[in-house]
Amino acid sequence: MPLPTKAPMIRPALPILFTLALLLAAAAPAGAQAPKATAGAQRHAAAAQAPGPTDPAELTAFLDGLLARELAEQHIAGAAVAVVKGGRLFFAKGYGYADIEHSTPVDAEQTLFKVGSVTKLFTWTAVMQLVEQGKLSLDADVNTYLDFHIPDTYAQPITLKHLMTHTAGFEDLHVDMVTLSAAEIAPQGTWLAAHIPARVLPPGEVPAYSNYGAALAGYIVARVAGRPYDQYVQEQILNPLGMRSSTAQWPTPPALRTHESVGYTYENNAFQVFPNLYGPVDLFPIGAVKVTATDMARFMIAHLQNGRYSDAAISEARILTEATARSMHTTLYTPDPRILGTTYGFFEFSDNGQRVIGHGGEAEPMHSTLFLLPDQNLGVFVAYNSTGAGSLTSQHLGFQRAFFDHYYPTPVVEPIQPPADFAQRADRFVGTYTSTMRAHTTFEKFVTLLGMAIDVKNPGDGTLLTVAPWGEMSFVEEAPLYFRQVNGPFHILFRADAQGHLAYLFTDFTPMFAFEKTPWYATLSFNLWLVLASLALFISMLLVAAIRAIRRRSQSDQAPAPRGARVAIALMVAISALNLLFVAGNFAWGEQLVFGVSLAYSIVLGLGVLSALLTVGALMYAVLAWKERYWGIAFRAYYTLGALAAAAFVWFLSFWRLLGWQY
């Protein structure tokens, strides 16, 4: 899955903070990483449409040029594209290399790509198959089908509909999701029961992309079907469609192993092989499928043909009834009918006047996206084998943007005029809005500081300016709480709470999650300055203490300082050292947390606890310093400032769940 990820919008000051932010890299939806939208790229949805691709030769020329630019500019080793139209394969081609060392080119018919969260479309298809058979109910409490219990945090139970639309209300966690050793893979049924995320939102209210939720659905499929998830998908979806060069099984069958694409990252002006990452069996439903481009074409055709597939070798295969397939493509959840939402597993990617449903995927280092245009009977799939493609598979941007602006262009929309009184009301909307795809109750909450957010500003001209991972855009109010892009078709929508305070922002760009209004004390800017100021004081405290100690040794005839003053200084030295070691420890071990919490990192967390206990003493001695007049006024003030910085750092650790062992 996506959006992911992966922390978008890396800001210049962030390297100063802990590398714990890299946890987002584990399993984000493709929408979580996005390039900035270019001016004029967004088009109006109401104009006459071009017919789309009609000539295979012209499509080949277009894609050859587009992929050549993408591979060169983004440092991508290889890619594959498949386009289906009218129930048939219309185009398929490989680009670049599947294996650079052996000069193996990408073959659209044979090269296997890890498709990451596009796997979820197979999971949701499997769910709907079992619904057809009467073995699953989309409205039943998921606990009905589990051998462990999801806590009853809210009165409303979680259902399969909630899982399909990512509205179950789970927090987003990544620790212990990945291993570098295949021998350490947790067996089926153990990981999900041991890693239940907290339910932080009432089900059905707000989207918050959840890998755990999709994995839970896959586990339910396995339990109800009476066989492992990968076996079920292989037997009930891939094999009937003739997807013989693809697999849902792990490990990859020997006959296909030689066709797997190598994964690459680009470092030091050269392609480097990306290490193989493994996850628990319980997480197979969120990203285990490996496909060729032409095999994925068969899956797209089946969905576009309402569950049916046929070709020269297959007289007819049906993976869904026509009624089920049609319903699966209809909108199941949207925060408002005017905002794009989610179907039974597909996200609405509608663009340039075309209804589009799809899903992006990321399986480090590979990236992919699949989108269907049901009204045009057209489907497109593209997969890349390198980390540089992260900016190309986000909905409405990257590959999709280039494809739609070429084949379904529309004229620029007429600008909309803002209401006369909006400039006086604009400040109500100003602030930072943070993605609902985040942790709340564990130390991963800290990653929120570096996660996806939208800053809403008031430029004073009757519009709202949004600064988002996909770029800056201006919006004009069309109706209360509802805004349209000034020179484009996209919309944002605000939702107020019972007291009338703005609580959420929804956008067409991310139907898989919303953005929650962020209080000032939880913003990146406030916390960044708080941490930097505290660290500066801790460093200065160590330097000053060292200078004072050297001076005392050189002045042996000087009377010893009062015992209380010596204890006070010792406390502050210990606190400063512990907090600096805490930060250093996060740089050293924080980025490895996706593989689990090591003993070394547990010790790092213990440093924060010890520092917090000593901070209580430092605050007491700050009071005593003024009462007993340990030092001159200037140094007393300096010591008090240091004690307050230590207290502020304790608040920081506590608020972001870094105080203690909260995982």
Side-chain angles (χ1 to χ4, degrees):
M1 129 81 231
L3 280 184
T5 138
K6 297 293 179 172
M9 280 188 77
I10 302 303
R11 310 181 193 193
L14 296 188
I16 301 171
L17 294 177
F18 312 149
T19 52
L20 193 64
L22 295 180
L23 288 174
L24 279 179
Q33 284 191 325
K36 292 184 178 181
T38 56
Q42 313 308 334
R43 307 290 184 174
H44 190 264
Q49 302 299 320
T54 57
D55 179 3
E58 187 280 331
L59 177 61
T60 300
F62 167 69
L63 290 176
D64 285 354
L66 175 62
L67 270 294
R69 289 194 302 274
E70 290 181 344
L71 267 60
E73 293 173 1
Q74 304 299 326
H75 302 296
I76 300 167
V81 183
V83 179
V84 300
K85 185 177 181 180
R88 295 289 181 267
L89 179 65
F90 190 73
F91 171 90
K93 188 173 181 179
Y95 297 89
Y97 291 97
D99 187 330
I100 294 175
E101 181 182 359
H102 296 96
S103 300
T104 305
V106 172
D107 186 320
E109 294 185 358
Q110 294 192 21
T111 302
L112 278 163
F113 288 83
K114 295 182 289 186
V115 295
S117 287
V118 175
T119 296
K120 293 182 176 74
L121 296 180
F122 294 89
T123 300
W124 305 131
T125 300
V127 167
M128 296 304 288
Q129 287 180 334
L130 295 174
V131 169
E132 281 183 351
Q133 299 168 28
K135 296 179 179 179
L136 287 177
S137 168
L138 294 178
D139 296 307
D141 185 338
V142 293
N143 283 313
T144 305
Y145 307 110
L146 299 174
D147 54 356
F148 58 92
H149 190 78
I150 303 298
D152 300 319
T153 308
Y154 296 93
Q156 312 96 308
I158 294 173
T159 69
L160 281 166
K161 283 184 178 178
H162 296 139
L163 299 184
M164 295 182 110
T165 55
H166 297 272
T167 58
F170 289 122
E171 67 177 328
D172 185 58
L173 303 176
H174 295 88
V175 168
D176 200 29
M177 288 183 71
V178 177
T179 177
L180 292 171
S181 171
E184 296 178 2
I185 292 180
Q188 180 174 313
T190 60
W191 193 93
L192 287 173
H195 293 79
I196 302 174
R199 295 177 61 185
V200 295
L201 295 166
E205 287 196 8
V206 179
Y209 189 92
S210 175
N211 285 292
Y212 184 90
L216 199 64
Y219 183 60
I220 289 172
V221 166
R223 281 183 52 76
V224 170
R227 63 191 112 163
Y229 167 86
D230 57 346
Q231 181 182 344
Y232 179 90
V233 170
Q234 191 75 41
E235 294 175 352
Q236 300 301 316
I237 301 177
L238 272 62
N239 290 348
L241 295 178
M243 298 174 67
R244 296 184 178 86
S245 297
S246 301
T247 183
Q249 297 175 315
W250 189 90
T252 303
L256 300 179
R257 209 166 295 163
T258 58
H259 298 299
E260 289 184 89
S261 175
V262 177
Y264 294 96
T265 186
Y266 192 81
E267 298 176 0
N268 301 319
N269 298 316
F271 284 103
Q272 309 290 336
V273 175
F274 198 88
N276 286 323
L277 302 177
Y278 305 95
V281 172
D282 286 352
L283 296 185
F284 284 8
I286 72 172
V289 169
K290 299 175 183 178
V291 303
T292 67
T294 52
D295 274 359
M296 188 61 90
R298 295 167 177 264
F299 182 72
M300 292 192 292
I301 289 170
H303 266 281
L304 288 167
Q305 300 295 111
N306 296 317
R308 176 184 176 276
Y309 179 84
S310 65
D311 59 23
I314 300 175
S315 58
E316 178 172 297
R318 182 166 285 283
I319 59 172
L320 295 169
T321 67
E322 182 171 348
T324 299
R326 287 186 182 277
S327 67
M328 192 172 176
H329 301 159
T330 60
T331 303
L332 180 58
Y333 169 84
T334 176
D336 185 283
R338 298 168 294 183
I339 290 287
L340 296 181
T342 305
T343 74
Y344 290 69
F346 290 86
F347 298 117
E348 292 181 328
F349 291 173
S350 298
D351 212 334
N352 283 10
Q354 300 296 322
R355 182 168 189 268
V356 186
I357 58 175
H359 209 295
E362 177 180 354
E364 283 283 23
M366 300 188 187
H367 301 264
S368 58
T369 189
L370 177 154
F371 51 86
L372 307 177
L373 290 76
D375 297 339
Q376 303 294 332
N377 204 1
L378 180 79
V380 181
F381 169 75
V382 59
Y384 306 89
N385 66 6
S386 306
T387 55
S391 63
L392 301 177
T393 54
S394 297
Q395 58 273 14
H396 304 298
L397 304 168
F399 182 91
Q400 182 180 347
R401 177 81 277 119
F403 187 89
F404 276 81
D405 283 347
H406 184 77
Y407 285 110
Y408 301 98
T410 56
V412 176
V413 67
E414 290 296 324
I416 183 173
Q417 296 301 313
D421 66 337
F422 184 74
Q424 288 73 47
R425 297 185 285 110
D427 285 342
R428 179 191 181 196
F429 302 91
V430 170
T432 298
Y433 297 77
T434 304
S435 168
T436 52
M437 183 187 173
R438 67 180 193 272
H440 290 250
T441 66
T442 78
F443 60 20
E444 290 187 64
K445 180 181 178 182
F446 173 76
V447 183
T448 302
L449 281 173
L450 312 180
M452 181 173 281
I454 296 178
D455 290 325
V456 178
K457 302 180 179 181
N458 174 15
D461 60 0
T463 69
L464 290 180
L465 176 67
T466 64
V467 181
W470 44 88
E472 295 185 0
M473 293 183 181
S474 294
F475 289 85
V476 172
E477 186 180 48
E478 274 194 335
L481 305 181
Y482 180 67
F483 295 75
R484 200 202 80 189
Q485 186 184 357
V486 170
N487 293 307
F490 296 110
H491 295 82
I492 59 175
L493 174 79
F494 295 88
R495 179 186 291 175
D497 60 21
Q499 291 73 42
H501 303 127
L502 295 183
Y504 293 101
L505 183 157
F506 304 90
T507 168
D508 286 331
F509 274 90
T510 59
M512 66 284 299
F513 48 78
F515 294 83
E516 189 172 11
K517 186 70 177 291
T518 308
W520 61 270
Y521 52 82
T523 60
L524 174 63
S525 57
F526 172 78
N527 283 270
L528 180 61
W529 285 112
L530 183 149
V531 171
L532 290 178
S534 298
L535 294 181
L537 277 165
F538 299 150
I539 293 171
S540 74
M541 281 289 177
L542 294 179
L543 293 174
V544 168
I547 293 170
R548 287 172 65 88
I550 293 171
R551 283 181 177 176
R552 283 198 166 275
R553 286 197 182 120
S554 65
Q555 300 172 359
S556 56
D557 58 339
Q558 189 176 20
R563 181 177 181 279
R566 296 197 305 272
V567 173
I569 292 294
L571 278 173
M572 191 55 68
V573 167
I575 290 167
S576 299
L578 288 169
N579 287 339
L580 290 171
L581 286 172
F582 179 88
V583 173
N586 273 278
F587 272 104
W589 292 289
E591 66 179 5
Q592 302 298 320
L593 291 176
V594 70
F595 299 107
V597 180
S598 65
L599 175 60
Y601 192 71
S602 294
I603 294 172
V604 169
L605 293 174
L607 298 179
V609 174
L610 181 56
S611 174
L613 294 174
L614 295 180
T615 297
V616 176
L619 290 170
M620 293 173 61
Y621 272 97
V623 175
L624 284 174
W626 289 96
K627 181 180 178 181
E628 303 295 335
R629 299 184 179 181
Y630 288 152
W631 315 288
I633 292 177
F635 194 80
R636 274 181 264 161
Y638 173 65
Y639 184 89
T640 302
L641 188 61
L644 292 174
F649 198 75
V650 171
W651 173 87
F652 175 85
L653 297 183
S654 177
F655 182 79
W656 296 107
R657 308 292 183 182
L658 292 167
L659 187 60
W661 297 269
Q662 301 186 63
Y663 52 83

